[in-house]
Amino acid sequence: MDETMTETVQTAPFAPFEWMLSARYLRARRKEGFISVIAGFSFLGIMLGVATLIIVMAVMNGFRKELLDKILGLNGHILVQPLESPLTDWKDVADRLSQVQGIRLAAPVVDGQALASSPWNASGVLVRGIRSDDLNNLTSIAKNIKQGSLEGFDEGQAVAIGRRLADQLSLHAGDSVTLVAPKGAVTPMGTTPRIKPYKIAAVFEIGMSEYDLGFVFMPLAEAQAYFNRSNDVTSIEVFTTNPDRIDAFRKAVTEAAGRPIFLVDWRQRNSTFFNALQVERNVMFLILTMIVLVAALNIVSGLIMLVKDKGSDIAILRTMGASQGSIMRIFLITGASIGVVGTLVGFCVGLVICVNIESIRQFLSWLTSTELFSPELYFLSKLPAEIDVGETTAVVIMALTLSFLATLYPSWRAARLDPVEALRYE
């Protein structure tokens, strides 16, 4: 029998019989069980790879977004610091900055370090002096008051502390906390520490452990007296309406200040932290992509074995008039079906886990009796997940592309199979 003597029947691409044969090859019989096992592992690999990629990328996006919201919710997008002379004209500068379009708040602050203590414990803190109106405009604080209130914050000697600090000191709203500053009154015996008790007016919980444990807010006038400031402030925290357009505000802020100033924006203040997050995110994406790549290689090996096992079937189909294109499409459909179904199932699994990620974390913590997401290590009190549509689409397209490419070589081998040689060695 000569291949040239067979008459090739031209059929429409992806004809029904091609789909039928592909489905038949996916349902392997007992003697073809090993091929079916390889196909199953390929399906599981692609499904787990896609789901893991979606989950990890969503968690990293959520982690970055939550940290960014919390960091920028408490610290200004631009930090205005004085040059040449102290910021004694802070009221006028803050008023001018507040009138710049796109600036929603310009808050003068006095920062200083102190030791917060109670009869039961002590902890180092950053004391920030701020005006009552400015503190109420910080939604990350004003909307997260757990005990007490900010009413009358400027009246008397009151402070607002974080929830984790309150727990560590075993204090509640209405109790007194003692603040110890290293630089106090100057005496003939030297500088003595300043020790002063303050009533806790409010207890806030931002959700970022570093801030809930390390910040104490104090009325601005009291902070100036406590830290021996001569009616000046440490800096002015400027909050904008769009932190991503921070470069557009720098020039306007410099001009509006009307005095020599030094500007530091939020990207410079947190560059190391967010750059590390970005590098980690890129590395995780590359590592997890390897899972999908290995699964795609399993499709290659499984299809090659299937082509070898079905050599006689291919030869018979060729002698019956099936074209090389039909044979290639049959095995393309067989291999691509594994990748497409695996990708879609992985996509659905990934979305379901992302939506319920915090509930799953709590269940696993309860099941294993361990804390899987420690706030002290990860800065956040819960596990965040933010699904990015473009990123998720890229993961799905990448998985489908790898799955399709993995089927090309085995399908080409099947189409190039010589029917005479295949039947001769059967």
Side-chain angles (χ1 to χ4, degrees), residues 167-184:
D167 291 343
Q168 182 164 324
L169 300 180
S170 300
L171 297 174
H172 302 84
D175 295 339
S176 291
V177 59
T178 301
L179 296 181
V180 182
K183 293 183 179 180

Side-chain angles (χ1 to χ4, degrees), residues 268-394:
Q268 296 168 314
R269 296 168 77 178
N270 305 282
S271 60
T272 303
F273 186 68
F274 285 105
N275 286 341
L277 277 181
Q278 185 64 34
V279 171
E280 183 181 0
R281 184 171 167 276
N282 293 338
V283 171
M284 289 298 293
F285 183 85
L286 291 175
I287 292 173
L288 294 173
T289 301
M290 295 298 175
I291 299 176
V292 182
L293 185 59
V294 169
L297 293 177
N298 282 338
I299 294 178
V300 175
S301 59
L303 279 183
I304 289 176
M305 293 182 65
L306 183 63
V307 169
K308 190 171 182 63
D309 185 68
K310 299 297 182 182
S312 59
D313 293 10
I314 296 170
I316 292 171
L317 287 171
R318 292 285 286 118
T319 56
M320 291 175 64
S323 65
Q324 288 184 338
S326 292
I327 300 298
M328 187 170 183
R329 286 191 293 271
I330 289 170
F331 287 94
L332 274 175
I333 295 170
T334 304
S337 298
I338 299 171
V340 170
V341 175
T343 299
L344 293 179
V345 173
F347 170 74
C348 295
V349 170
L351 290 185
V352 170
I353 292 178
C354 287
V355 171
N356 301 282
I357 190 76
E358 178 60 18
S359 300
I360 294 172
R361 181 196 70 82
Q362 293 176 359
F363 172 74
L364 292 176
S365 295
W366 170 81
L367 190 65
T368 60
S369 300
T370 57
E371 192 171 23
L372 298 179
F373 193 75
S374 173
E376 290 84 357
L377 294 176
Y378 299 101
F379 301 105
L380 302 177
S381 55
K382 67 178 183 178
L383 189 61
E386 181 78 15
I387 299 173
D388 184 88
V389 176
E391 213 167 56
T392 305
T393 303

Side-chain angles (χ1 to χ4, degrees), residues 176-215:
S176 291
V177 59
T178 301
L179 296 181
V180 182
K183 293 183 179 180
V186 179
T187 67
M189 302 297 293
T191 303
T192 60
R194 173 158 287 157
I195 304 174
K196 194 171 183 180
Y198 288 92
K199 180 183 176 181
I200 300 174
V203 176
F204 60 86
E205 184 175 18
I206 299 175
M208 187 170 178
S209 62
E210 184 181 5
Y211 292 162
D212 291 337
L213 181 62
F215 265 84

